[in-house]
Amino acid sequence: MNVKVIGTSMPNHKTEKKEFDIFGGHAAGICYMKGTFDELRAEPIEKTTKRSVGCKKMGHHSVFDHLTISMYLEDVPRVVEVMLDNERWMTSSVKSGRYTVHSVAGIEKELYEKWLEIFKSQIKETYNKPGHEKFFTETRIEKLAMENARYFTSSFTLVSFMHTMTYRQFNYVYGFISDFIKTHEKTKNTFIKKTIPYFIELLKQFDQTGYVDTDLVGNQKGRVLSLFNPRKVQEYFGDVYVASYPVSYATFLHLNRHRTLKYSIDYIPEPKDLQFYTPELIVGTKYEAQWQKDMKRARDVFPQAMMVTATEIGNFDDFLLKVIERKCSVVLLETMHNTNNLLNRYVKGLEKTKHPRTEELKSYTRGSRCTFKSYKCEFPCGFKEGVNETRKI
C-alpha cells in the first residue's frame, strides 16, 4: 500500500480555474489509465484539457468535486445563508445570532433590545437560586437572553460567514439559483419576491470569482434548490423516515446545520398570516400577550420566530446522531423540544410495526444526552432541569 497527497485546498490562496479543470481531467483519466497516476499527470496538457471538456459535456461531473472553493460572504441576508447551507456538499462557519449581536435597525433593534432586558430579568427571577450558580453565570444569562431576543430579528438580517463548496457544487448551485429566479419571476409570494433581488446579487458576486463554468451550470438533471418544497409528504418511520412538523424559522436554521439529514420548508405565508413561536419562559406570564403583540408589529420584516412547515428526511442511524447532538441543556430549547417530539413519534412508529430497534430508540427518551450509556459528557453542566429536560430556558 502507498498513500500520497496529490492536492490540498490552501488558505489564502486562490487556485486558477484552469487548474481545477486540469485536476478534474486527471481525475477522470484515472478511470481509464493503463499506467500510473504520475504518468497521467505528465501527459500533454491538450489531452488532459480535451478529457476535462468531454467530462463536462457528458455530465461526468463528479471528477470536479476533488478540490474546493472557500468563500467569505459578508453582509449577506440570513435567507441566502440558509439556502446555501441546504445544498450539500458544503461546510459553513457563520457568525452566530445566539452569541453575537448582528447589526439591526428600526423595529428589529427596538424589540430586540426591549426583550433582551426582559429575558435577563426573567432568567434571573426563575433560576437565580441555590444549586444553579455554576450554570447560570452572568455571561450565560446574557447569552441566553440574546438567544431568545433574536427571535425578533429578521429572516433577512445581514450575517457574515465562510462557506466551502467543491468546484462542481459551486457551479451547480449557481445553476439552481438561476433557475429559481426564472421560475419565480412572476411570483406573488411576498417572502420569495423579497428574496429574489438578493439571489440576483449573489450570482453577480459568483460571476466575479472567475469560477463559473457554463458547462457545469447547465443543470442537465433538472434539479432545483432544496430549501423550498411545498409538496406534502407522507410520513413514515422505519429504517428510513420522513416527517413534517411546525417549527420557528430560527430553529429551522439550527436543525438545518445537521448535515447528515435532509431538510426543506414550505413557502413562507404572507405577513398577515404568520404565526409566531413563544419561548417557554414567558408562556403563561404577563409577557406572553405582549410577545405576540410585538411579533405582529414586526411581522413585515419576517421575524425569525415565524412558524414554518418543515420536512425532515433521513435514516435511523443518522437520526440518532441528531438526538445525541440536540438533547443537551445548552442546546436551544425549541430545538431540544423539536428533537424530543420527533423522537417520541419515531418510537411510536416503530412500535406499530414491531421494528427490531424499537427498544434501542426508546432508550434515548429518558433525558439529556449525558444520561445515554453511549455518551460521556466532557463538560457536565450540573443543571438538574437541563439534564431531566424540564428547563424553561
Side-chain angles (χ1 to χ4, degrees), residues 283-315:
V283 171
T285 72
K286 62 182 180 180
Y287 294 113
E288 183 174 6
Q290 190 177 156
W291 173 273
Q292 289 295 329
K293 182 178 179 181
D294 281 349
M295 278 295 167
K296 289 178 181 178
R297 287 180 59 203
R299 61 189 178 188
D300 287 338
V301 303
F302 294 98
Q304 292 189 63
M306 66 182 185
M307 300 299 290
V308 299
T309 301
T311 295
E312 179 177 324
I313 300 174
N315 62 47

Side-chain angles (χ1 to χ4, degrees), residues 118-387:
I118 291 175
F119 278 115
K120 286 181 188 178
S121 174
Q122 285 295 100
I123 295 169
K124 289 178 181 179
E125 181 180 323
T126 306
Y127 291 105
N128 188 13
K129 61 179 77 171
H132 289 150
E133 300 91 341
K134 179 182 176 181
F135 190 78
F136 285 97
T137 63
E138 285 297 323
T139 298
R140 189 180 295 276
I141 290 172
E142 177 80 19
K143 298 303 181 184
L144 287 170
M146 291 168 59
E147 176 178 272
N148 284 274
R150 66 81 189 256
Y151 276 114
F152 277 98
T153 61
S154 171
S155 304
F156 293 86
T157 297
L158 301 182
V159 297
S160 298
F161 58 105
M162 180 186 294
H163 195 83
T164 300
M165 295 183 283
T166 67
Y167 175 45
R168 170 173 74 160
Q169 184 70 355
F170 173 87
N171 280 283
Y172 274 22
V173 169
Y174 185 102
F176 300 161
I177 297 172
S178 299
D179 291 343
F180 185 88
I181 293 170
K182 293 175 185 175
T183 56
H184 292 80
E185 190 175 29
K186 298 181 180 180
T187 183
K188 294 182 180 180
N189 182 278
T190 302
F191 187 88
I192 299 299
K193 286 169 68 175
K194 191 172 181 177
T195 299
I196 295 297
Y198 294 116
F199 281 6
I200 292 173
E201 176 60 25
L202 182 65
L203 293 187
K204 291 179 180 178
Q205 295 289 328
F206 277 15
D207 283 329
Q208 294 176 18
T209 66
Y211 291 126
V212 176
D213 188 295
T214 55
D215 287 329
L216 292 177
V217 302
N219 197 11
Q220 295 165 313
K221 297 178 181 178
R223 290 170 57 186
V224 297
L225 284 181
S226 60
L227 178 60
F228 299 105
N229 181 10
R231 294 187 294 274
K232 302 300 180 183
V233 298
Q234 181 175 350
E235 293 195 329
Y236 175 82
F237 297 100
D239 293 308
V240 296
Y241 75 99
V242 56
S244 182
Y245 47 74
V247 68
S248 77
Y249 190 80
T251 288
F252 177 80
L253 299 183
H254 196 199
L255 294 169
N256 187 49
R257 296 195 170 282
H258 197 88
R259 294 173 178 82
T260 61
L261 303 176
K262 184 176 181 181
Y263 291 96
S264 62
I265 57 176
D266 203 340
Y267 288 132
I268 309 296
E270 293 301 301
K272 64 181 178 62
D273 299 320
L274 290 175
Q275 301 294 314
F276 304 101
Y277 172 76
T278 303
E280 193 169 329
L281 187 67
I282 62 172
V283 171
T285 72
K286 62 182 180 180
Y287 294 113
E288 183 174 6
Q290 190 177 156
W291 173 273
Q292 289 295 329
K293 182 178 179 181
D294 281 349
M295 278 295 167
K296 289 178 181 178
R297 287 180 59 203
R299 61 189 178 188
D300 287 338
V301 303
F302 294 98
Q304 292 189 63
M306 66 182 185
M307 300 299 290
V308 299
T309 301
T311 295
E312 179 177 324
I313 300 174
N315 62 47
F316 184 97
D317 292 297
D318 286 342
F319 179 73
L320 288 187
L321 295 179
K322 171 186 174 177
V323 168
I324 293 170
E325 183 174 337
R326 301 308 190 190
K327 282 169 65 70
C328 176
S329 60
V330 298
V331 170
L332 181 67
L333 183 60
E334 187 192 356
T335 300
M336 187 203 76
H337 282 321
N338 167 272
T339 302
N340 276 332
N341 290 338
L342 188 54
L343 171 61
N344 291 329
R345 288 164 61 192
Y346 207 148
V347 168
K348 290 180 180 179
L350 296 187
E351 287 177 333
K352 289 181 180 179
T353 60
K354 298 182 179 180
H355 194 281
R357 300 185 73 178
T358 303
E359 292 304 314
E360 178 185 355
L361 189 61
K362 193 180 293 186
S363 69
Y364 290 87
T365 64
R366 301 176 184 123
S368 292
R369 65 184 181 184
C370 54
T371 66
F372 301 166
K373 291 182 179 179
S374 59
Y375 186 82
K376 180 181 178 181
C377 182
E378 299 293 339
F379 305 98
C381 64
F383 178 33
K384 182 179 68 174
E385 290 93 331
V387 175

